[in-house]
Amino acid sequence: MPDSTSPEQVRNKPDLQAFALGAKMRQRAWVDFVVRHAVTLGGIATIIAISVIFAYLLYVVLPLFRPATVEQIPPVAIANAHTPLYYAIEESGQLALDISAEGTLSYVSLDDGSIRHQHTVALADNTQIAHVVKPDSADTTLMLVASDGRVVFLTTRYRVEFDDANKRRVVPEVSYPYGDAWLYPFPSGASYTAIDAKRNDDALAIAAITDAQQLWVREYALQTSLFDDSASLEELDLSEIAVKPEHSIVVLDPALNYLLLATTGGHLALRDLRALDTTLLNTSVSDTDAQLTTLSLLNGGSSLLVGDDQGTITQWMLAKNAQNQHQLQRIRQFTSPGEIRHILPESGRKGFFSIDDQGTLKLFYTTSGRQLAELSLPPCPDCVYALAPRSDTLLAATTDRISLWQVDNQHPEISISALFTPVWYEGYTEKQFIWQSTAASSDFEPKYSLTPLLFGTLKAAFYALLFATPLAIMGAIYTAYFMAPRTRRVVKPSIEIMEAIPTVILGFLAGLWLAPRIEDHLPAVFALVLFLPLAVMGFAYLGSRLRAKTDLPLPDDWELYALIPLIIGIAALAFAISTWLESAFFHGDMRLYMDQHWGLDYDQRNALVVGIAMGFAVIPTIFSIAEDALFSVPKH
């Protein structure tokens, strides 16, 4: 049939093809332009997002290293001028409790110095309040000691109210937890040169040195009512022992196990509270001729802070040596330019304030051994100092005014040395790297050493690579070079999809399923490490010899399908004989055998378990990269 296409149409046909080709090129160029700029914008957005995350992390972390500050705020004039005996600050910092020698409790507003509430304690004629003692650092109960030797306990509770203008107001309430009758804890009724009291959940103890150089200790059992908050004191033991005239300080252990007798010369005697004539320790805390000026227990009662007239404050910890004998260990030392007059420990942390006779105020934190802040105050030998329960307000009271300082000390336990160098913690015999951030008690000393975390992370990564790298690379070699294409199309995507398994799930299975299984069948794990490679090598040798001597038509990847039941069988056999192996070679307990003979303390959730779990997480990545690279290499 003749072609009906005209010469004009023939001439226009190349033009149409060129136009169509040009349209496709323009479309491709437009797509390339869009994709290129989209990828560029995505990359820039990713960099910006990572930078913002990094900036936010810095914003969160840098305040941890911000130095502490102590700033003076306007002082407050006291309405009724008198000589202060004792001061305490209410938790929110709105009121201060002022106790005078005449037995008047005045609750002074720290905003304007007005007296919000007053309470008068009934005293006998010709007597005054001689001492005020706080038996429990975590409570607001106080023990008032009269000049005739009697004592009474009172507690202040603070109730929050709101007036008609919806303004918050703190209202104090005074109660007598053990009754308002004055007690004679000791039969002599003499005045005391030193007295201390401590209380725990079950008992109360009072220790005092009298003018006659007698040490008296009275213990009470706390009887708490089941129906209300009332309690009573039941008299228990009363002990008496003669002490030397130079003993001028007595300190009770918060756990009521022992007491300390101290001299101004820096000599300490530790006595058993159950038998005062038993001396547990007799030592000195002064290596020079310095005179001891003040002594205070750090929060928790595990460390003793000793200040002297040379401006030195030493921290001592009570521990037992290899002979099970009590001894004091010097942990740290802090210095101040003048004679130490006051040591104010923080109630919920391991820090303290020191004030010397030159008016130098210093803030220290014992765990890190750092000086956090320093301030020069006017010398005030007659000032009474108090620290708020939250350690955010410091008070110095004179006869007619109250000076206040605002303390900003958010993270004293964080420092470069505490994070990366060994620290001597309370209860330990030497400096160590410890990570233990929380506990059930406020007496706890936080341990923020990052070294165990960093070392544990690197160790886990090493074991993970040690477990995953041979399996992944050998598997990639076999898959790329020896596996049949049909099997490879199934195996490779199956392994790669393992990468989508959340690591949280792997960690959950490792901690709750794998770790107990390994612990219960520890000999089986070691048997697998020994026998599984031998079994695979033996199978490979026999398989190669069988194929060389016979012409059996074997299917593709027959070795793979034959090895799977072999590996499962060897694993099942190892776990089946695990108990027999443990009885035959490890005396029935492999963990105990490892500890006694090899010095290895086996923990259930150890680096081996972590390495296996993390190894399964990284096997797909290593396998995929290695297999793609190997498969791209030409066969020749």
Side-chain angles (χ1 to χ4, degrees):
M1 183 175 180
D3 188 4
S4 60
T5 305
S6 65
E8 185 68 24
Q9 291 176 331
V10 173
R11 286 194 302 269
N12 292 335
K13 195 171 184 178
D15 296 338
L16 293 175
Q17 292 176 350
F19 178 79
L21 182 60
K24 289 183 180 180
M25 293 298 292
R26 287 192 297 272
Q27 182 182 4
R28 180 176 297 176
W30 170 251
V31 172
D32 290 344
F33 174 81
V34 173
V35 172
R36 182 171 64 253
H37 285 80
V39 171
T40 303
L41 290 176
I44 294 174
T46 302
I47 295 174
I48 293 175
I50 295 175
S51 302
V52 171
I53 293 173
F54 183 73
Y56 176 74
L57 292 176
L58 286 178
Y59 170 77
V60 173
V61 172
L62 286 180
L64 296 177
F65 299 93
R66 186 173 58 191
T69 59
V70 181
E71 298 179 354
Q72 187 169 10
I73 56 181
V76 176
I78 302 177
N80 55 339
H82 64 282
T83 301
L85 177 65
Y86 177 87
Y87 261 87
I89 304 176
E90 177 261 334
E91 186 174 6
S92 67
Q94 297 186 22
L95 295 180
L97 169 60
D98 173 13
I99 300 179
S100 66
E102 290 74 22
T104 301
L105 279 65
S106 301
Y107 294 88
V108 183
S109 171
L110 295 181
D111 294 330
D112 53 15
S114 62
I115 298 176
R116 298 286 182 85
H117 182 76
Q118 273 192 330
H119 178 82
T120 302
V121 179
L123 292 171
D125 295 338
N126 300 321
T127 60
Q128 290 183 327
I129 302 296
H131 306 276
V132 179
V133 181
K134 192 173 185 180
D136 188 348
S137 61
D139 193 25
T140 56
T141 299
L142 298 174
M143 182 181 73
L144 307 185
V145 184
S147 55
D148 59 356
R150 295 181 301 166
V151 301
V152 69
F153 295 87
L154 57 85
T155 300
T156 299
R157 290 185 173 87
Y158 297 92
R159 186 180 72 254
V160 178
E161 293 182 349
F162 293 90
D163 56 18
D164 297 337
N166 202 29
K167 185 178 180 181
R168 186 176 184 273
R169 181 176 59 183
V170 178
V171 179
E173 295 177 346
V174 180
S175 62
Y176 294 86
Y178 314 125
D180 57 358
W182 288 82
L183 306 174
Y184 268 119
F186 310 120
S188 65
S191 59
Y192 313 126
T193 58
I195 188 169
D196 191 26
K198 289 292 187 297
R199 184 186 68 180
N200 57 25
D201 295 335
D202 304 316
L204 169 73
I206 305 174
I209 300 176
T210 66
D211 293 335
Q213 295 304 312
Q214 294 293 317
L215 171 65
W216 291 88
V217 177
R218 164 71 77 182
E219 293 189 61
Y220 297 90
L222 297 180
Q223 303 293 331
T224 305
S225 174
L226 297 177
F227 305 100
D228 52 35
D229 295 336
S230 62
S232 61
L233 297 177
E234 178 185 350
E235 291 187 354
L236 297 178
D237 298 335
L238 175 65
S239 303
E240 177 189 6
I241 189 172
V243 295
K244 297 179 180 180
E246 56 266 22
H247 283 117
S248 56
I249 301 175
V250 59
V251 177
L252 282 166
D253 166 35
L256 302 183
N257 294 322
Y258 58 85
L259 62 81
L260 280 167
L261 288 172
T263 68
T264 56
H267 192 81
L268 285 180
L270 183 71
R271 299 293 182 93
D272 191 342
L273 202 57
R274 300 290 174 258
L276 283 183
D277 55 348
T278 302
T279 302
L280 303 176
L281 178 68
N282 204 351
T283 186
S284 176
V285 293
S286 178
D287 298 334
T288 63
D289 296 332
Q291 296 294 305
L292 189 150
T293 56
T294 181
L295 186 147
S296 179
L297 288 174
L298 199 61
N299 174 45
S302 299
S303 293
L304 185 68
L305 298 175
V306 178
D308 58 34
D309 60 354
Q310 303 297 321
T312 302
I313 302 173
T314 51
Q315 179 187 358
W316 298 82
M317 183 179 66
L318 183 64
K320 289 187 177 181
N321 55 22
Q323 291 75 33
N324 201 31
Q325 298 174 339
H326 287 83
Q327 65 178 6
L328 279 177
Q329 294 178 316
R330 176 185 287 184
I331 304 178
R332 299 174 187 90
Q333 180 173 303
F334 310 91
T335 59
S336 188
E339 175 183 327
I340 304 299
R341 292 291 181 87
H342 303 276
I343 295 178
L344 305 174
E346 294 184 317
S347 59
R349 294 186 300 202
K350 300 297 181 178
F352 67 94
F353 286 85
S354 71
I355 304 167
D356 61 21
D357 60 347
Q358 300 179 15
T360 303
L361 169 70
K362 289 191 175 185
L363 172 59
F364 298 99
Y365 193 77
T366 56
T367 304
S368 59
R370 291 192 304 150
Q371 176 183 312
L372 303 178
E374 181 178 351
L375 195 65
S376 295
L377 311 179
C380 184
D382 298 327
C383 281
V384 176
Y385 294 91
L387 185 63
R390 297 180 182 177
S391 304
D392 56 356
T393 304
L394 179 67
L395 176 150
T398 59
T399 57
D400 57 353
R401 63 184 292 168
I402 296 176
S403 299
L404 297 169
W405 291 267
Q406 194 72 33
V407 182
D408 183 11
N409 185 23
Q410 297 296 324
H411 306 285
E413 59 278 341
I414 302 298
S415 67
I416 298 299
S417 60
L419 293 178
F420 298 104
T421 61
V423 177
W424 198 337
Y425 298 103
E426 293 180 345
Y428 291 81
T429 57
E430 59 183 3
K431 294 182 177 182
Q432 294 187 23
F433 296 103
I434 304 292
W435 170 268
Q436 188 181 4
S437 58
T438 58
S441 172
S442 61
D443 300 340
F444 168 73
E445 183 177 23
K447 305 169 181 64
Y448 291 133
S449 177
L450 292 181
T451 302
L453 304 184
L454 296 175
F455 179 75
T457 302
L458 294 176
K459 184 170 67 172
F462 171 77
Y463 282 114
L465 292 177
L466 191 65
F467 173 78
T469 301
L471 291 178
I473 293 181
M474 297 300 178
I477 293 174
Y478 181 82
T479 304
Y481 283 116
F482 303 105
M483 186 175 287
R486 183 177 61 182
T487 308
R488 179 180 179 273
R489 286 194 295 267
V490 176
V491 171
K492 187 174 186 297
S494 300
I495 296 178
E496 289 177 343
I497 204 171
M498 287 174 53
E499 197 169 2
I501 299 177
T503 54
V504 174
I505 302 299
L506 293 176
F508 176 81
L509 293 176
L512 298 184
W513 178 80
L514 180 62
R517 296 299 183 279
I518 292 179
E519 182 185 25
D520 295 338
H521 303 89
L522 200 56
V525 177
F526 285 91
L528 276 176
V529 175
L530 178 63
F531 295 128
L532 194 57
L534 295 178
V536 172
M537 295 297 293
F539 172 81
Y541 174 76
L542 293 177
S544 63
R545 301 300 300 172
L546 177 64
R547 192 157 193 174
K549 292 184 177 182
T550 63
D551 295 330
L552 295 176
L554 299 175
D556 294 334
D557 296 329
W558 70 272
E559 304 97 336
L560 176 64
Y561 299 118
L563 271 175
I564 291 176
L566 174 66
I567 294 174
I568 295 176
I570 293 294
L573 178 62
F575 278 84
I577 65 173
S578 177
T579 303
W580 178 82
L581 291 174
E582 195 165 27
S583 300
F585 297 99
F586 303 105
H587 307 306
D589 192 339
M590 187 172 180
R591 293 181 60 185
L592 183 61
Y593 185 90
M594 291 169 60
D595 185 25
Q596 293 180 348
H597 293 79
W598 302 341
L600 299 176
D601 185 14
Y602 182 87
D603 187 32
Q604 186 188 83
R605 293 170 176 83
N606 52 58
L608 175 65
V609 176
V610 175
I612 294 175
M614 292 180 61
F616 274 108
V618 300
I619 278 177
T621 302
I622 301 175
F623 170 84
S624 180
I625 296 174
E627 205 276 342
D628 289 340
L630 292 169
F631 192 76
S632 301
V633 178
K635 293 294 184 180
H636 63 278

